[in-house]
Amino acid sequence: MAIQDLNFHTITRWQDDQPAELKLGNQVKGVTADHEALFSQLKKLFQFRAGKFFGKFSEDIGQHPFSSWLKEQQNGKIGFEKLSALYVQQLKELIDKTSESFERHIVHIQEDRADGARSYIFLLENSSGMKLDSQHTLEPLDYLNTSKLELAVRIDLEDWNSDANDTPYLTLVKGRTLAKLGEAFAQSVGFENIVDTKKETETLMEVLAGYTRDAEPKDAANIKQKAYNFCVEQQQLGEAVPITELSGYLDENQPTRFAEFAEQEAQIENSKSLRPDTRKLKHLVRLSGKGNGLSLSFSSDLFQQTILFDEQTDTLTITAIPKTLKKQLMEYMKDKD
């Protein structure tokens, strides 16, 4: 990992009816170990973030000019500092059409890698804390919040330059609670979604359900757990889930069995790769829900084993209560008596 180019900017709006204020930063000339440590932490947050979107640049350059500026920068016609300034000014114009107050620090990075250069844009919030100085005096302190990531995009420059239309070279993080700001951010890079992660998640879950339908409950649970683990590992690597590799992982003795089943049952080609949402995929191994004062979560292999569901009466029957819960129930009943 090596930071090739780096810029920081700050954009704020304190009142909903006022335009945003943009503070441009100059390109960082001397990248330090602190910069590399920050980038490493942000990349880790990005990789582990579930619910990402995958796409490409919009072809409407008039409305979304970022890709044309990036191409000029890649061709040496403009520098990285100019590219970064043009981008944040475009972002400001889009944000001014919204009505949310906020403060964000924009971290714009280009990374040089052996297997292909990448470009990242992170929008980070501040957190507040207290500092105790050498005189034992408390001082308020603002610092970058690197514990969560709500707005970010990664551009795989090599995939983009290869003109592979079926390869999603843009990966977007857009928090659900940031509707207007998130949409402005997506538009600022001209993001166009080309992967239906919801559909691909449902497809994979349906195929796995059919694949394990006739298996013993314990074997079915083991297969689903292995599938979930494989998909999580791929997500953490920032990679899709190749059906052939998943098939070999599920059954080393018959490595093509699952892939052949998937092709037969769901017309999923062996060469196909899926990008399932691991948050939804977790239902393969764990069922959960809450509401009306009740919160319940249990391993899916207990379903219709020690946890019985009667659809007609809309009831669950638990036949093996956890010891700690049973103890609480007994104590509660005693107190009530």
PDB file of all heavy atoms in Angstrom, residues 161-196:
ATOM      1  N   ASN A 161     -10.305   1.608 -16.716  1.00  0.00           N
ATOM      2  CA  ASN A 161      -9.573   1.850 -17.954  1.00  0.00           C
ATOM      3  C   ASN A 161      -9.622   0.666 -18.919  1.00  0.00           C
ATOM      4  O   ASN A 161      -9.337   0.809 -20.105  1.00  0.00           O
ATOM      5  CB  ASN A 161      -8.108   2.193 -17.642  1.00  0.00           C
ATOM      6  CG  ASN A 161      -7.968   3.564 -16.992  1.00  0.00           C
ATOM      7  OD1 ASN A 161      -8.681   4.496 -17.344  1.00  0.00           O
ATOM      8  ND2 ASN A 161      -7.066   3.680 -16.027  1.00  0.00           N
ATOM      9  N   SER A 162      -9.990  -0.510 -18.393  1.00  0.00           N
ATOM     10  CA  SER A 162     -10.058  -1.690 -19.258  1.00  0.00           C
ATOM     11  C   SER A 162     -11.328  -1.730 -20.083  1.00  0.00           C
ATOM     12  O   SER A 162     -11.481  -2.586 -20.957  1.00  0.00           O
ATOM     13  CB  SER A 162      -9.968  -2.971 -18.411  1.00  0.00           C
ATOM     14  OG  SER A 162     -11.152  -3.137 -17.640  1.00  0.00           O
ATOM     15  N   ASP A 163     -12.262  -0.815 -19.790  1.00  0.00           N
ATOM     16  CA  ASP A 163     -13.530  -0.727 -20.525  1.00  0.00           C
ATOM     17  C   ASP A 163     -14.347  -2.016 -20.431  1.00  0.00           C
ATOM     18  O   ASP A 163     -15.076  -2.378 -21.361  1.00  0.00           O
ATOM     19  CB  ASP A 163     -13.299  -0.378 -22.005  1.00  0.00           C
ATOM     20  CG  ASP A 163     -12.727   1.024 -22.170  1.00  0.00           C
ATOM     21  OD1 ASP A 163     -13.096   1.903 -21.382  1.00  0.00           O
ATOM     22  OD2 ASP A 163     -11.920   1.218 -23.093  1.00  0.00           O
ATOM     23  N   ALA A 164     -14.228  -2.732 -19.318  1.00  0.00           N
ATOM     24  CA  ALA A 164     -15.040  -3.935 -19.109  1.00  0.00           C
ATOM     25  C   ALA A 164     -16.398  -3.502 -18.570  1.00  0.00           C
ATOM     26  O   ALA A 164     -16.548  -3.218 -17.378  1.00  0.00           O
ATOM     27  CB  ALA A 164     -14.340  -4.869 -18.128  1.00  0.00           C
ATOM     28  N   ASN A 165     -17.390  -3.435 -19.438  1.00  0.00           N
ATOM     29  CA  ASN A 165     -18.697  -2.883 -19.071  1.00  0.00           C
ATOM     30  C   ASN A 165     -19.420  -3.691 -18.000  1.00  0.00           C
ATOM     31  O   ASN A 165     -20.261  -3.166 -17.277  1.00  0.00           O
ATOM     32  CB  ASN A 165     -19.594  -2.776 -20.315  1.00  0.00           C
ATOM     33  CG  ASN A 165     -19.072  -1.751 -21.304  1.00  0.00           C
ATOM     34  OD1 ASN A 165     -18.499  -0.741 -20.911  1.00  0.00           O
ATOM     35  ND2 ASN A 165     -19.272  -2.007 -22.586  1.00  0.00           N
ATOM     36  N   ASP A 166     -19.099  -4.997 -17.898  1.00  0.00           N
ATOM     37  CA  ASP A 166     -19.801  -5.829 -16.927  1.00  0.00           C
ATOM     38  C   ASP A 166     -19.098  -5.863 -15.577  1.00  0.00           C
ATOM     39  O   ASP A 166     -19.554  -6.536 -14.652  1.00  0.00           O
ATOM     40  CB  ASP A 166     -19.953  -7.255 -17.463  1.00  0.00           C
ATOM     41  CG  ASP A 166     -18.603  -7.886 -17.790  1.00  0.00           C
ATOM     42  OD1 ASP A 166     -17.617  -7.130 -17.957  1.00  0.00           O
ATOM     43  OD2 ASP A 166     -18.548  -9.128 -17.889  1.00  0.00           O
ATOM     44  N   THR A 167     -17.980  -5.167 -15.466  1.00  0.00           N
ATOM     45  CA  THR A 167     -17.238  -5.140 -14.205  1.00  0.00           C
ATOM     46  C   THR A 167     -17.558  -3.859 -13.441  1.00  0.00           C
ATOM     47  O   THR A 167     -17.307  -2.753 -13.927  1.00  0.00           O
ATOM     48  CB  THR A 167     -15.715  -5.201 -14.455  1.00  0.00           C
ATOM     49  OG1 THR A 167     -15.406  -6.380 -15.184  1.00  0.00           O
ATOM     50  CG2 THR A 167     -14.955  -5.198 -13.132  1.00  0.00           C
ATOM     51  N   PRO A 168     -18.128  -3.976 -12.230  1.00  0.00           N
ATOM     52  CA  PRO A 168     -18.426  -2.769 -11.443  1.00  0.00           C
ATOM     53  C   PRO A 168     -17.153  -2.204 -10.811  1.00  0.00           C
ATOM     54  O   PRO A 168     -16.661  -2.721  -9.826  1.00  0.00           O
ATOM     55  CB  PRO A 168     -19.392  -3.285 -10.371  1.00  0.00           C
ATOM     56  CG  PRO A 168     -19.077  -4.726 -10.226  1.00  0.00           C
ATOM     57  CD  PRO A 168     -18.579  -5.206 -11.562  1.00  0.00           C
ATOM     58  N   TYR A 169     -16.626  -1.139 -11.413  1.00  0.00           N
ATOM     59  CA  TYR A 169     -15.373  -0.568 -10.928  1.00  0.00           C
ATOM     60  C   TYR A 169     -15.591   0.517  -9.873  1.00  0.00           C
ATOM     61  O   TYR A 169     -14.629   1.045  -9.322  1.00  0.00           O
ATOM     62  CB  TYR A 169     -14.556  -0.011 -12.097  1.00  0.00           C
ATOM     63  CG  TYR A 169     -15.335   0.861 -13.069  1.00  0.00           C
ATOM     64  CD1 TYR A 169     -15.635   2.186 -12.762  1.00  0.00           C
ATOM     65  CD2 TYR A 169     -15.771   0.348 -14.289  1.00  0.00           C
ATOM     66  CE1 TYR A 169     -16.343   2.979 -13.638  1.00  0.00           C
ATOM     67  CE2 TYR A 169     -16.479   1.137 -15.181  1.00  0.00           C
ATOM     68  CZ  TYR A 169     -16.771   2.457 -14.853  1.00  0.00           C
ATOM     69  OH  TYR A 169     -17.480   3.247 -15.718  1.00  0.00           O
ATOM     70  N   LEU A 170     -16.848   0.871  -9.600  1.00  0.00           N
ATOM     71  CA  LEU A 170     -17.158   1.803  -8.522  1.00  0.00           C
ATOM     72  C   LEU A 170     -17.810   1.044  -7.369  1.00  0.00           C
ATOM     73  O   LEU A 170     -18.728   0.248  -7.586  1.00  0.00           O
ATOM     74  CB  LEU A 170     -18.121   2.895  -8.989  1.00  0.00           C
ATOM     75  CG  LEU A 170     -17.652   3.896 -10.046  1.00  0.00           C
ATOM     76  CD1 LEU A 170     -18.738   4.930 -10.298  1.00  0.00           C
ATOM     77  CD2 LEU A 170     -16.363   4.566  -9.626  1.00  0.00           C
ATOM     78  N   THR A 171     -17.332   1.298  -6.160  1.00  0.00           N
ATOM     79  CA  THR A 171     -17.927   0.719  -4.961  1.00  0.00           C
ATOM     80  C   THR A 171     -18.305   1.855  -4.032  1.00  0.00           C
ATOM     81  O   THR A 171     -17.450   2.658  -3.649  1.00  0.00           O
ATOM     82  CB  THR A 171     -16.956  -0.237  -4.250  1.00  0.00           C
ATOM     83  OG1 THR A 171     -16.472  -1.202  -5.194  1.00  0.00           O
ATOM     84  CG2 THR A 171     -17.643  -0.953  -3.105  1.00  0.00           C
ATOM     85  N   LEU A 172     -19.591   1.934  -3.688  1.00  0.00           N
ATOM     86  CA  LEU A 172     -20.122   3.083  -2.949  1.00  0.00           C
ATOM     87  C   LEU A 172     -20.633   2.667  -1.582  1.00  0.00           C
ATOM     88  O   LEU A 172     -21.328   1.657  -1.437  1.00  0.00           O
ATOM     89  CB  LEU A 172     -21.268   3.714  -3.746  1.00  0.00           C
ATOM     90  CG  LEU A 172     -22.004   4.899  -3.115  1.00  0.00           C
ATOM     91  CD1 LEU A 172     -21.126   6.153  -3.134  1.00  0.00           C
ATOM     92  CD2 LEU A 172     -23.326   5.157  -3.835  1.00  0.00           C
ATOM     93  N   VAL A 173     -20.279   3.461  -0.578  1.00  0.00           N
ATOM     94  CA  VAL A 173     -20.864   3.345   0.764  1.00  0.00           C
ATOM     95  C   VAL A 173     -21.771   4.544   0.965  1.00  0.00           C
ATOM     96  O   VAL A 173     -21.328   5.693   0.845  1.00  0.00           O
ATOM     97  CB  VAL A 173     -19.773   3.317   1.854  1.00  0.00           C
ATOM     98  CG1 VAL A 173     -20.389   3.469   3.241  1.00  0.00           C
ATOM     99  CG2 VAL A 173     -18.962   2.035   1.773  1.00  0.00           C
ATOM    100  N   LYS A 174     -23.038   4.270   1.258  1.00  0.00           N
ATOM    101  CA  LYS A 174     -24.001   5.353   1.456  1.00  0.00           C
ATOM    102  C   LYS A 174     -24.936   4.969   2.586  1.00  0.00           C
ATOM    103  O   LYS A 174     -25.793   4.101   2.435  1.00  0.00           O
ATOM    104  CB  LYS A 174     -24.794   5.608   0.166  1.00  0.00           C
ATOM    105  CG  LYS A 174     -25.731   6.808   0.240  1.00  0.00           C
ATOM    106  CD  LYS A 174     -26.388   7.084  -1.105  1.00  0.00           C
ATOM    107  CE  LYS A 174     -27.336   5.981  -1.500  1.00  0.00           C
ATOM    108  NZ  LYS A 174     -28.189   6.344  -2.672  1.00  0.00           N
ATOM    109  N   GLY A 175     -24.743   5.596   3.754  1.00  0.00           N
ATOM    110  CA  GLY A 175     -25.552   5.277   4.928  1.00  0.00           C
ATOM    111  C   GLY A 175     -27.027   5.559   4.714  1.00  0.00           C
ATOM    112  O   GLY A 175     -27.396   6.527   4.053  1.00  0.00           O
ATOM    113  N   ARG A 176     -27.862   4.709   5.278  1.00  0.00           N
ATOM    114  CA  ARG A 176     -29.308   4.826   5.090  1.00  0.00           C
ATOM    115  C   ARG A 176     -29.880   6.111   5.673  1.00  0.00           C
ATOM    116  O   ARG A 176     -30.873   6.644   5.185  1.00  0.00           O
ATOM    117  CB  ARG A 176     -30.007   3.633   5.732  1.00  0.00           C
ATOM    118  CG  ARG A 176     -29.713   2.298   5.056  1.00  0.00           C
ATOM    119  CD  ARG A 176     -30.462   1.185   5.750  1.00  0.00           C
ATOM    120  NE  ARG A 176     -30.209  -0.107   5.116  1.00  0.00           N
ATOM    121  CZ  ARG A 176     -30.753  -1.241   5.538  1.00  0.00           C
ATOM    122  NH1 ARG A 176     -31.559  -1.244   6.577  1.00  0.00           N
ATOM    123  NH2 ARG A 176     -30.480  -2.374   4.915  1.00  0.00           N
ATOM    124  N   THR A 177     -29.268   6.611   6.731  1.00  0.00           N
ATOM    125  CA  THR A 177     -29.813   7.790   7.418  1.00  0.00           C
ATOM    126  C   THR A 177     -29.435   9.097   6.732  1.00  0.00           C
ATOM    127  O   THR A 177     -29.896  10.161   7.149  1.00  0.00           O
ATOM    128  CB  THR A 177     -29.322   7.831   8.873  1.00  0.00           C
ATOM    129  OG1 THR A 177     -27.886   7.890   8.885  1.00  0.00           O
ATOM    130  CG2 THR A 177     -29.778   6.584   9.635  1.00  0.00           C
ATOM    131  N   LEU A 178     -28.605   9.018   5.703  1.00  0.00           N
ATOM    132  CA  LEU A 178     -28.128  10.235   5.026  1.00  0.00           C
ATOM    133  C   LEU A 178     -28.729  10.310   3.627  1.00  0.00           C
ATOM    134  O   LEU A 178     -28.007  10.343   2.624  1.00  0.00           O
ATOM    135  CB  LEU A 178     -26.600  10.233   4.953  1.00  0.00           C
ATOM    136  CG  LEU A 178     -25.864  10.122   6.286  1.00  0.00           C
ATOM    137  CD1 LEU A 178     -24.381   9.936   6.063  1.00  0.00           C
ATOM    138  CD2 LEU A 178     -26.110  11.370   7.130  1.00  0.00           C
ATOM    139  N   ALA A 179     -30.043  10.369   3.563  1.00  0.00           N
ATOM    140  CA  ALA A 179     -30.735  10.276   2.274  1.00  0.00           C
ATOM    141  C   ALA A 179     -30.306  11.362   1.300  1.00  0.00           C
ATOM    142  O   ALA A 179     -29.781  11.077   0.219  1.00  0.00           O
ATOM    143  CB  ALA A 179     -32.242  10.320   2.501  1.00  0.00           C
ATOM    144  N   LYS A 180     -30.496  12.635   1.658  1.00  0.00           N
ATOM    145  CA  LYS A 180     -30.215  13.732   0.735  1.00  0.00           C
ATOM    146  C   LYS A 180     -28.717  13.932   0.529  1.00  0.00           C
ATOM    147  O   LYS A 180     -28.247  14.102  -0.610  1.00  0.00           O
ATOM    148  CB  LYS A 180     -30.855  15.017   1.249  1.00  0.00           C
ATOM    149  CG  LYS A 180     -32.382  14.979   1.267  1.00  0.00           C
ATOM    150  CD  LYS A 180     -32.967  16.264   1.799  1.00  0.00           C
ATOM    151  CE  LYS A 180     -34.486  16.206   1.826  1.00  0.00           C
ATOM    152  NZ  LYS A 180     -35.085  17.445   2.384  1.00  0.00           N
ATOM    153  N   LEU A 181     -27.970  13.920   1.616  1.00  0.00           N
ATOM    154  CA  LEU A 181     -26.524  14.089   1.509  1.00  0.00           C
ATOM    155  C   LEU A 181     -25.902  12.899   0.772  1.00  0.00           C
ATOM    156  O   LEU A 181     -25.002  13.067  -0.051  1.00  0.00           O
ATOM    157  CB  LEU A 181     -25.901  14.235   2.901  1.00  0.00           C
ATOM    158  CG  LEU A 181     -24.404  14.553   2.968  1.00  0.00           C
ATOM    159  CD1 LEU A 181     -24.095  15.842   2.240  1.00  0.00           C
ATOM    160  CD2 LEU A 181     -23.939  14.626   4.422  1.00  0.00           C
ATOM    161  N   GLY A 182     -26.410  11.724   1.045  1.00  0.00           N
ATOM    162  CA  GLY A 182     -25.911  10.528   0.378  1.00  0.00           C
ATOM    163  C   GLY A 182     -26.179  10.555  -1.113  1.00  0.00           C
ATOM    164  O   GLY A 182     -25.333  10.157  -1.910  1.00  0.00           O
ATOM    165  N   GLU A 183     -27.356  11.022  -1.492  1.00  0.00           N
ATOM    166  CA  GLU A 183     -27.687  11.102  -2.912  1.00  0.00           C
ATOM    167  C   GLU A 183     -26.813  12.135  -3.619  1.00  0.00           C
ATOM    168  O   GLU A 183     -26.355  11.915  -4.749  1.00  0.00           O
ATOM    169  CB  GLU A 183     -29.165  11.456  -3.086  1.00  0.00           C
ATOM    170  CG  GLU A 183     -29.657  11.430  -4.519  1.00  0.00           C
ATOM    171  CD  GLU A 183     -29.454  10.096  -5.198  1.00  0.00           C
ATOM    172  OE1 GLU A 183     -29.524   9.056  -4.513  1.00  0.00           O
ATOM    173  OE2 GLU A 183     -29.207  10.087  -6.421  1.00  0.00           O
ATOM    174  N   ALA A 184     -26.564  13.280  -2.960  1.00  0.00           N
ATOM    175  CA  ALA A 184     -25.682  14.302  -3.533  1.00  0.00           C
ATOM    176  C   ALA A 184     -24.268  13.746  -3.709  1.00  0.00           C
ATOM    177  O   ALA A 184     -23.605  14.016  -4.717  1.00  0.00           O
ATOM    178  CB  ALA A 184     -25.656  15.535  -2.634  1.00  0.00           C
ATOM    179  N   PHE A 185     -23.821  12.963  -2.748  1.00  0.00           N
ATOM    180  CA  PHE A 185     -22.485  12.360  -2.829  1.00  0.00           C
ATOM    181  C   PHE A 185     -22.404  11.383  -3.998  1.00  0.00           C
ATOM    182  O   PHE A 185     -21.435  11.389  -4.769  1.00  0.00           O
ATOM    183  CB  PHE A 185     -22.143  11.655  -1.518  1.00  0.00           C
ATOM    184  CG  PHE A 185     -20.819  10.961  -1.526  1.00  0.00           C
ATOM    185  CD1 PHE A 185     -19.644  11.669  -1.659  1.00  0.00           C
ATOM    186  CD2 PHE A 185     -20.749   9.576  -1.415  1.00  0.00           C
ATOM    187  CE1 PHE A 185     -18.410  11.029  -1.676  1.00  0.00           C
ATOM    188  CE2 PHE A 185     -19.530   8.927  -1.432  1.00  0.00           C
ATOM    189  CZ  PHE A 185     -18.362   9.648  -1.561  1.00  0.00           C
ATOM    190  N   ALA A 186     -23.428  10.534  -4.155  1.00  0.00           N
ATOM    191  CA  ALA A 186     -23.447   9.577  -5.261  1.00  0.00           C
ATOM    192  C   ALA A 186     -23.448  10.300  -6.606  1.00  0.00           C
ATOM    193  O   ALA A 186     -22.746   9.904  -7.545  1.00  0.00           O
ATOM    194  CB  ALA A 186     -24.664   8.662  -5.138  1.00  0.00           C
ATOM    195  N   GLN A 187     -24.220  11.383  -6.704  1.00  0.00           N
ATOM    196  CA  GLN A 187     -24.275  12.150  -7.946  1.00  0.00           C
ATOM    197  C   GLN A 187     -22.955  12.857  -8.233  1.00  0.00           C
ATOM    198  O   GLN A 187     -22.589  13.055  -9.395  1.00  0.00           O
ATOM    199  CB  GLN A 187     -25.404  13.177  -7.870  1.00  0.00           C
ATOM    200  CG  GLN A 187     -26.801  12.576  -7.914  1.00  0.00           C
ATOM    201  CD  GLN A 187     -27.878  13.636  -7.866  1.00  0.00           C
ATOM    202  OE1 GLN A 187     -27.634  14.801  -8.179  1.00  0.00           O
ATOM    203  NE2 GLN A 187     -29.073  13.246  -7.473  1.00  0.00           N
ATOM    204  N   SER A 188     -22.242  13.236  -7.179  1.00  0.00           N
ATOM    205  CA  SER A 188     -20.997  13.988  -7.371  1.00  0.00           C
ATOM    206  C   SER A 188     -19.944  13.182  -8.124  1.00  0.00           C
ATOM    207  O   SER A 188     -19.077  13.749  -8.793  1.00  0.00           O
ATOM    208  CB  SER A 188     -20.440  14.452  -6.017  1.00  0.00           C
ATOM    209  OG  SER A 188     -19.942  13.345  -5.269  1.00  0.00           O
ATOM    210  N   VAL A 189     -19.980  11.844  -8.008  1.00  0.00           N
ATOM    211  CA  VAL A 189     -19.039  11.010  -8.753  1.00  0.00           C
ATOM    212  C   VAL A 189     -19.702  10.384  -9.982  1.00  0.00           C
ATOM    213  O   VAL A 189     -19.062   9.642 -10.736  1.00  0.00           O
ATOM    214  CB  VAL A 189     -18.438   9.901  -7.864  1.00  0.00           C
ATOM    215  CG1 VAL A 189     -17.553  10.501  -6.795  1.00  0.00           C
ATOM    216  CG2 VAL A 189     -19.520   9.021  -7.268  1.00  0.00           C
ATOM    217  N   GLY A 190     -21.006  10.666 -10.167  1.00  0.00           N
ATOM    218  CA  GLY A 190     -21.716  10.093 -11.304  1.00  0.00           C
ATOM    219  C   GLY A 190     -21.938   8.608 -11.157  1.00  0.00           C
ATOM    220  O   GLY A 190     -21.860   7.851 -12.126  1.00  0.00           O
ATOM    221  N   PHE A 191     -22.227   8.160  -9.929  1.00  0.00           N
ATOM    222  CA  PHE A 191     -22.402   6.726  -9.663  1.00  0.00           C
ATOM    223  C   PHE A 191     -23.685   6.209 -10.299  1.00  0.00           C
ATOM    224  O   PHE A 191     -24.761   6.787 -10.138  1.00  0.00           O
ATOM    225  CB  PHE A 191     -22.449   6.465  -8.151  1.00  0.00           C
ATOM    226  CG  PHE A 191     -22.654   5.019  -7.798  1.00  0.00           C
ATOM    227  CD1 PHE A 191     -21.585   4.155  -7.748  1.00  0.00           C
ATOM    228  CD2 PHE A 191     -23.927   4.528  -7.542  1.00  0.00           C
ATOM    229  CE1 PHE A 191     -21.770   2.809  -7.438  1.00  0.00           C
ATOM    230  CE2 PHE A 191     -24.121   3.191  -7.227  1.00  0.00           C
ATOM    231  CZ  PHE A 191     -23.040   2.336  -7.178  1.00  0.00           C
ATOM    232  N   GLU A 192     -23.554   5.098 -11.012  1.00  0.00           N
ATOM    233  CA  GLU A 192     -24.701   4.435 -11.635  1.00  0.00           C
ATOM    234  C   GLU A 192     -24.675   2.967 -11.231  1.00  0.00           C
ATOM    235  O   GLU A 192     -23.743   2.233 -11.562  1.00  0.00           O
ATOM    236  CB  GLU A 192     -24.619   4.567 -13.162  1.00  0.00           C
ATOM    237  CG  GLU A 192     -25.849   4.076 -13.893  1.00  0.00           C
ATOM    238  CD  GLU A 192     -25.769   4.361 -15.385  1.00  0.00           C
ATOM    239  OE1 GLU A 192     -25.896   5.551 -15.773  1.00  0.00           O
ATOM    240  OE2 GLU A 192     -25.551   3.402 -16.152  1.00  0.00           O
ATOM    241  N   ASN A 193     -25.700   2.557 -10.510  1.00  0.00           N
ATOM    242  CA  ASN A 193     -25.745   1.192  -9.973  1.00  0.00           C
ATOM    243  C   ASN A 193     -25.967   0.175 -11.083  1.00  0.00           C
ATOM    244  O   ASN A 193     -26.859   0.334 -11.917  1.00  0.00           O
ATOM    245  CB  ASN A 193     -26.871   1.095  -8.939  1.00  0.00           C
ATOM    246  CG  ASN A 193     -26.788  -0.179  -8.122  1.00  0.00           C
ATOM    247  OD1 ASN A 193     -25.728  -0.767  -7.990  1.00  0.00           O
ATOM    248  ND2 ASN A 193     -27.898  -0.602  -7.570  1.00  0.00           N
ATOM    249  N   ILE A 194     -25.142  -0.891 -11.116  1.00  0.00           N
ATOM    250  CA  ILE A 194     -25.327  -1.933 -12.127  1.00  0.00           C
ATOM    251  C   ILE A 194     -25.467  -3.319 -11.497  1.00  0.00           C
ATOM    252  O   ILE A 194     -25.601  -4.310 -12.220  1.00  0.00           O
ATOM    253  CB  ILE A 194     -24.170  -1.948 -13.153  1.00  0.00           C
ATOM    254  CG1 ILE A 194     -22.834  -2.256 -12.477  1.00  0.00           C
ATOM    255  CG2 ILE A 194     -24.104  -0.655 -13.928  1.00  0.00           C
ATOM    256  CD1 ILE A 194     -21.700  -2.472 -13.463  1.00  0.00           C
ATOM    257  N   VAL A 195     -25.431  -3.400 -10.169  1.00  0.00           N
ATOM    258  CA  VAL A 195     -25.567  -4.686  -9.486  1.00  0.00           C
ATOM    259  C   VAL A 195     -26.753  -4.621  -8.535  1.00  0.00           C
ATOM    260  O   VAL A 195     -26.812  -3.766  -7.657  1.00  0.00           O
ATOM    261  CB  VAL A 195     -24.288  -5.044  -8.694  1.00  0.00           C
ATOM    262  CG1 VAL A 195     -24.473  -6.357  -7.937  1.00  0.00           C
ATOM    263  CG2 VAL A 195     -23.093  -5.140  -9.630  1.00  0.00           C
ATOM    264  N   ASP A 196     -27.701  -5.529  -8.723  1.00  0.00           N
ATOM    265  CA  ASP A 196     -28.872  -5.619  -7.839  1.00  0.00           C
ATOM    266  C   ASP A 196     -28.518  -6.568  -6.700  1.00  0.00           C
ATOM    267  O   ASP A 196     -28.774  -7.777  -6.770  1.00  0.00           O
ATOM    268  CB  ASP A 196     -30.078  -6.125  -8.623  1.00  0.00           C
ATOM    269  CG  ASP A 196     -31.380  -6.024  -7.825  1.00  0.00           C
ATOM    270  OD1 ASP A 196     -31.296  -5.931  -6.588  1.00  0.00           O
ATOM    271  OD2 ASP A 196     -32.456  -6.058  -8.437  1.00  0.00           O
TER     272      ASP A 196
END
